[in-house]
Amino acid sequence: MLRVHSYESLGTFDGPGLRLVVFLQGCNYRCLYCANPDTIDLKGESQKTDIEEIVRLAVNEKPFFGKKGGVTFSGGEPTVQAKDLIPLVKRLKEQGIHVCLDSNGAVWNKYVEELLGMVDLVLLDIKQFNPERHKILTERSNEQTLKTAKWLEENNRPFWLRYVLVQGYSAFEEDITAMCEHLKDYKMIQRVEILPYHTLGVHKYESMNKEYKLKDVKENSPEQLEDARKIFSRYFSVVTVN
């Protein structure tokens, strides 16, 4: 059984092609800009769901996946439920369905390692390369995330690098450049995705009686996004702005 928060059918932003996105409950990070604060708590308002129900949903949507699409597990942080996710991924692979894992890479145990060895693609969210600024942004260390990136590289597991551009927090040229220098020789990075900062989840904070701490942070201008794209493009051949 998995704790599922919600689903998105035929999503286009979380991996290649059209995808069934399964948002799992529970997260180990406390990102200041989190758009899904209702997924953080390990229980929340989620539903315990039998894995066969998710397999059924995926198989029903399989005709729309084409050659590139499939299922993406997001959250929350899906590796929080890695042990229970493993048998589901096995079932999906038996059905010939492509599986993506959208992860911050900061949870590590034998179940996570097994899971990363099974999925077809990891969408690795590196929130900040600078350790001090990362802690301000997420209240957590980025040490394990960088170790996970190294593990993916050493074990020939393809991944996309995702980076949310937040002015005053992660949009520093020196930090982006340092991260690119650190990762520039990684052959398993297939794509870099720059994710613009947005405030679409602010209403959730209001409904939960929580303070949204970045209310004074403005969304990225086209120029700011283009500047970031140029930096990443010096190091990586495929860079997109989502």
Side-chain angles (χ1 to χ4, degrees):
M1 301 286 279
L2 283 165
R3 284 204 168 272
V4 176
H5 176 271
S6 56
Y7 302 91
E8 178 185 355
S9 292
L10 306 182
T12 57
F13 292 103
D14 296 289
L18 293 175
R19 313 193 69 81
L20 170 64
V21 185
V22 183
F23 295 93
L24 299 181
Q25 188 73 27
C27 188
N28 57 320
Y29 269 21
R30 298 295 181 268
C31 299
L32 296 181
Y33 56 75
C34 180
N36 298 313
D38 44 341
T39 67
I40 293 175
D41 184 81
L42 289 174
K43 186 176 180 182
E45 298 180 359
S46 61
Q47 297 291 323
K48 275 193 169 183
T49 306
D50 188 277
I51 65 170
E52 290 304 322
E53 171 64 15
I54 301 172
V55 172
R56 184 188 67 78
L57 290 172
V59 170
N60 284 347
E61 292 195 13
K62 188 178 177 182
F64 301 100
F65 292 157
K67 293 182 178 179
K68 292 184 177 180
V71 174
T72 296
F73 294 102
S74 186
E77 170 51 47
T79 58
V80 170
Q81 300 190 60
K83 182 179 180 180
D84 296 318
L85 196 50
I86 288 170
L88 172 54
V89 172
K90 286 180 179 177
R91 289 285 291 115
L92 293 173
K93 299 296 289 179
E94 288 171 3
Q95 297 294 326
I97 294 174
H98 184 278
V99 178
C100 273
L101 187 74
D102 182 9
S103 174
N104 61 37
V107 177
W108 194 260
N109 53 50
K110 64 180 182 180
Y111 303 112
V112 174
E113 185 170 357
E114 182 177 352
L115 183 64
L116 294 181
M118 294 168 57
V119 299
D120 297 288
L121 179 67
V122 176
L123 311 179
L124 186 67
D125 300 282
I126 299 182
K127 314 294 184 179
Q128 236 291 9
F129 184 73
N130 179 290
E132 289 78 21
R133 287 174 175 157
H134 186 279
K135 201 156 192 177
I136 291 170
L137 191 58
T138 69
E139 299 183 14
R140 302 291 186 269
S141 167
N142 64 358
E143 183 178 358
Q144 181 56 55
T145 302
L146 297 176
K147 286 182 178 178
T148 299
K150 185 178 181 182
W151 185 94
L152 292 168
E153 174 67 17
E154 291 177 344
N155 288 273
N156 298 312
R157 307 307 301 164
F159 66 105
W160 292 5
L161 170 63
R162 295 184 126 192
Y163 195 78
V164 181
L165 196 70
V166 188
Q167 298 307 126
Y169 289 87
S170 63
F172 301 102
E173 180 177 353
E174 64 268 27
D175 295 342
I176 297 173
T177 300
M179 180 172 64
C180 291
E181 285 286 341
H182 180 82
L183 299 170
K184 65 182 180 181
D185 296 325
Y186 279 33
K187 303 292 191 296
M188 290 295 107
I189 298 178
Q190 296 184 340
R191 173 190 297 260
V192 173
E193 291 190 325
I194 301 169
L195 308 183
Y197 166 73
H198 64 75
T199 57
L200 298 178
V202 171
H203 68 282
K204 296 182 182 180
Y205 289 82
E206 296 169 355
S207 65
M208 296 170 69
N209 293 315
K210 286 188 173 185
E211 178 190 5
Y212 184 70
K213 297 180 180 179
L214 299 188
K215 54 181 174 289
D216 295 326
V217 176
K218 295 181 179 179
E219 296 185 355
N220 313 112
S221 68
E223 292 78 16
Q224 289 165 343
L225 292 168
E226 177 60 16
D227 287 344
R229 190 196 65 79
K230 286 179 178 177
I231 298 170
F232 280 109
S233 294
R234 294 178 201 148
Y235 297 88
F236 302 101
S237 57
V238 182
V239 181
T240 62
V241 178
N242 266 15

